[in-house]
Amino acid sequence: MNIIPLPKEFTESSGVYLIDGKIKSDFRLDLLDDFAVFSDDASFVIEKDSSVPEEGYKLSVTPERLTVKASTKTGAYYALQSVRRLCGFDLGNREVPCCEIEDEPRFKWRGLHLDESRHFFGEKEVKRLLDFMFAEKLNTFHWHLTDDQGWRVEIKKYPLLTEIGSKRAYTQVGGWGSDKIEALEHGGYYTQQQIAEIVEYAAERGITVVPEIDFPAHCAAAIAAYPYIACFETKTEVPGYFGGLIPEKQGNYRWNRTLCCGKETTFEFVFGVLDELCSLFPSRYIHIGGDEAPSGEWKLCKDCQRVIKENGLKNEEQLQGWFENRLIAYLRDKGKTPIGWNEIIRAENLDNANNSVAIQYWTPKRDTFAENYAQKGGTMILSNHQSFYFDMPYAMMPLCNTYNYFPKNYGINNADAKNVLGVEGELWSEWIPDRAKLDLSAFPRMQALAEVAWTPEDRRDFDSFKRRLDELKPTLKKLGIGYAEDCISLNDDKKLKDEILEKFSCGDPCLEVKLNKN
């Protein structure tokens, strides 16, 4: 059964069903929400069955007939993706092995994240990624549209966010430990029309687009456009460094800047951005970031200190909690559920009334705050670093790390699983400058992620997965995907691994691309 992700239940039998130009088909996916009458003599049939779970499907293949049953268009589409894989359709094969499949996903949230702040890829590349997500039955595209190094979404109320914030004059190259820069302008952003087209394109494939706009930290690009939203109105440029301190010649300020939490003008700005964002994205969820918020400027800011005193807050950590609460209330009134990285629950005063905040658990080490949050019924998305940070080299995070992910390893036990929306892989783009590195980072990790997200835990087996992955590789190659070969993802060459890790830190973060034999 050469399908990734592996179905929930399946039975193989002898024989094949041939898809050719002579078959009589009867399926109208645009009418699937209504009961349709089908021709008795059709041999390729899709029909509605309200008993099938929302994204699930039933597939029956005999030599005479191929039948799909689903309760939604998405479920029917997923069945056809399974047919596509079963027969090797992309390789020109049309013989579908006879079988019976009853399938549905393990998790509701099966996500992939793309950071376009650090490197901008554009509409064509995003749609290409959405196509491949659809093939793997992934249903949530987490779109990281703003950060310190670039603002990528048009906000009509604040045009300088794209006029100024979407461009930087230089980019750090050579890895985290490098001080080298490439003195070339890097920029790009999506108009609201482009956003709408991509959201529609994703929806046609059963994919929800969840935007991320980072507040109150990772705001240097926004502050470069509108300095008044910072604690101190210093004229700055959009930074091109991804870590550490920017050299004095570039301004000598931290690359990760925070908004001022004490000025009402800051909230007017944030709410204005959220208004347009909520109109652009029909998703129930809006990601507001909240991670890695340095408190240095808050400690020196008279407005932030005034808010701490007036509201009886203990410290700057609770100041962030107070800030997040205002955003949470604003989004709640708009019918949206905010998502924040797990750092935001460290503030004891975070308002999670009626479980109205979802937490994305990413940190490399176990976080007792996150564990307690889940135990108390809090909603969570799991994207723990060692398994799901796809920007890391395979020499550091091999493919088995993704496939052998179990929530219990991060303190999320079976009793808490009902609060887990699902899992998500992260493609941070500091060291992903182009398609070659994007493909190598995402494939075949995307396939491993899909199986973790879809297949029941007790049915997963890494050896089985590797065999099915080998069967899939000719298809990936045919589709032009520069996936990571086993020599990179599963190698035992310590010397090679050490070289890759050393160069990733300082030297050549794209060395694996050059070594990859695919």
Side-chain angles (χ1 to χ4, degrees):
M1 183 58 61
N2 292 320
I3 300 179
I4 297 175
L6 190 70
K8 181 180 179 181
E9 296 180 15
F10 64 85
T11 304
E12 300 177 81
S13 55
S14 59
V16 297
Y17 173 85
L18 178 62
I19 300 175
D20 61 24
K22 299 178 181 179
I23 64 171
K24 183 172 182 180
S25 59
D26 198 340
F27 48 92
R28 287 159 283 179
L29 294 181
D30 58 325
L31 299 177
L32 194 61
D33 291 332
D34 301 316
F35 285 95
V37 178
F38 296 94
S39 304
D40 291 335
D41 60 343
S43 67
F44 192 160
V45 174
I46 298 176
E47 60 181 288
K48 180 169 181 176
D49 184 340
S50 299
S51 68
V52 177
E54 182 179 356
E55 293 182 294
Y57 64 91
K58 294 179 180 179
L59 175 64
S60 176
V61 184
T62 68
E64 296 75 32
R65 197 173 211 192
L66 189 154
T67 304
V68 171
K69 294 183 179 181
S71 62
T72 64
K73 285 189 283 187
T74 300
Y77 284 140
Y78 287 159
L80 297 180
Q81 292 294 344
S82 292
V83 171
R84 177 183 179 183
R85 287 284 171 80
L86 276 170
C87 69
F89 194 87
D90 294 294
L91 298 175
N93 302 323
R94 298 295 184 265
E95 293 185 345
V96 186
C98 293
C99 61
E100 299 285 333
I101 295 178
E102 188 166 337
D103 206 3
E104 64 178 294
R106 177 189 181 197
F107 288 119
K108 293 181 179 179
W109 184 292
R110 305 180 303 282
L112 188 70
H113 155 284
L114 179 64
D115 164 25
E116 285 206 79
S117 173
R118 280 53 178 257
H119 282 96
F120 180 77
F121 295 98
E123 187 173 358
K124 182 179 178 181
E125 290 299 315
V126 168
K127 288 181 176 178
R128 177 176 182 262
L129 192 63
L130 290 169
D131 286 340
F132 294 136
M133 287 178 62
F134 180 39
E136 307 304 337
K137 304 183 177 76
L138 298 174
N139 69 349
T140 305
F141 179 53
H142 175 178
W143 204 2
H144 192 87
L145 288 166
T146 74
D147 215 298
D148 294 295
Q149 293 81 14
W151 186 283
R152 308 298 182 202
V153 54
E154 178 189 26
I155 302 296
K156 293 184 177 180
K157 186 175 182 180
Y158 298 106
L160 296 183
L161 287 172
T162 47
E163 290 178 23
I164 294 174
S166 70
K167 298 185 285 277
R168 60 177 185 259
Y170 64 94
T171 298
Q172 180 184 0
V173 295
W176 297 109
S178 170
D179 61 359
K180 296 179 181 179
I181 64 170
E182 184 178 60
L184 296 175
E185 182 179 285
H186 183 85
Y189 68 91
Y190 294 99
T191 66
Q192 294 198 359
Q193 178 60 38
Q194 288 175 312
I195 294 282
E197 290 173 2
I198 290 171
V199 168
E200 182 180 3
Y201 189 89
E204 290 170 350
R205 288 151 180 78
I207 298 171
T208 299
V209 181
V210 176
E212 181 179 353
I213 306 292
D214 276 17
F215 297 130
H218 292 287
C219 290
I223 292 170
Y226 294 96
Y228 72 86
I229 61 178
C231 292
F232 304 100
E233 295 188 32
T234 305
K235 183 174 175 55
T236 57
E237 298 178 349
V238 178
Y241 272 81
F242 302 132
L245 288 169
I246 295 176
E248 187 172 352
K249 64 181 179 179
Q250 299 294 344
N252 197 28
Y253 60 88
R254 282 196 61 84
W255 54 273
N256 179 8
R257 294 200 69 195
T258 51
L259 300 179
C260 179
C261 296
K263 294 187 291 192
E264 282 303 307
T265 49
T266 300
F267 289 97
E268 179 185 340
F269 170 84
V270 171
F271 295 156
V273 170
L274 292 177
D275 284 344
E276 294 192 31
L277 203 70
C278 290
S279 297
L280 280 171
F281 293 92
S283 163
R284 169 187 169 185
Y285 295 95
I286 301 289
H287 206 304
I288 56 175
D291 64 315
E292 300 176 330
S295 59
E297 292 189 49
W298 295 341
K299 291 178 180 179
L300 300 174
C301 174
K302 61 180 179 59
D303 293 303
C304 289
Q305 292 303 309
R306 172 181 51 78
V307 166
I308 289 175
K309 183 176 180 181
E310 289 178 354
N311 291 275
L313 305 176
K314 295 180 180 179
N315 49 35
E316 286 72 27
E317 195 168 78
Q318 288 203 350
L319 174 66
Q320 181 176 348
W322 179 85
F323 174 91
E324 304 288 2
N325 286 342
R326 292 194 63 177
L327 270 62
I328 290 166
Y330 193 81
L331 287 170
R332 186 186 297 152
D333 288 345
K334 290 179 146 316
K336 300 291 188 179
T337 299
I339 304 171
W341 300 104
N342 57 287
E343 285 98 323
I344 72 170
I345 55 177
R346 293 180 179 275
E348 298 173 4
N349 56 335
L350 186 75
D351 178 13
N352 188 30
N354 301 316
N355 195 20
S356 57
V357 183
I359 297 303
Q360 189 155 9
Y361 185 7
W362 77 272
T363 45
K365 295 181 180 179
R366 284 181 58 169
D367 182 351
T368 55
F369 290 93
E371 293 175 24
N372 291 338
Y373 188 83
Q375 290 166 7
K376 293 177 182 178
T379 302
M380 302 196 77
I381 302 156
L382 303 174
S383 56
N384 301 98
H385 187 280
Q386 283 92 336
S387 292
F388 296 131
Y389 267 48
F390 293 173
D391 53 306
M392 295 293 105
Y394 287 89
M396 180 188 298
M397 307 296 187
L399 186 63
C400 60
N401 279 34
T402 301
Y403 192 86
N404 292 327
Y405 177 81
F406 298 98
K408 64 184 179 183
N409 295 339
Y410 291 87
I412 309 300
N413 299 312
N414 291 338
D416 309 316
K418 62 182 182 297
N419 308 317
V420 175
L421 286 177
V423 295
E424 180 181 292
E426 314 300 312
L427 284 164
W428 299 102
S429 68
E430 288 94 339
W431 314 117
I432 302 180
D434 51 32
R435 177 188 284 190
K437 185 65 185 295
L438 183 65
D439 275 7
L440 181 129
S441 299
F443 300 92
R445 284 166 168 157
M446 187 190 293
Q447 283 70 37
L449 166 70
E451 194 141 308
V452 172
W454 184 277
T455 305
E457 196 170 281
D458 61 359
R459 288 188 61 80
R460 281 166 38 204
D461 177 81
F462 190 47
D463 288 336
S464 165
F465 172 77
K466 287 190 292 181
R467 288 192 294 271
R468 285 177 284 118
L469 179 61
D470 285 340
E471 294 289 335
L472 179 63
K473 285 178 180 178
T475 296
L476 298 180
K477 187 169 290 187
K478 177 76 172 180
L479 295 173
I481 300 172
Y483 62 88
E485 273 286 7
D486 288 353
C487 62
I488 298 298
S489 59
L490 305 171
N491 72 81
D492 294 317
D493 187 333
K494 185 178 185 304
K495 183 178 180 181
L496 177 60
K497 285 184 177 181
D498 289 345
E499 180 185 4
I500 291 170
L501 293 176
E502 180 182 353
K503 294 291 179 65
F504 181 77
S505 176
C506 187
D508 186 359
C510 295
L511 179 58
E512 281 188 327
V513 178
K514 298 169 184 176
L515 293 172
N516 192 37
K517 294 181 180 179
N518 173 36

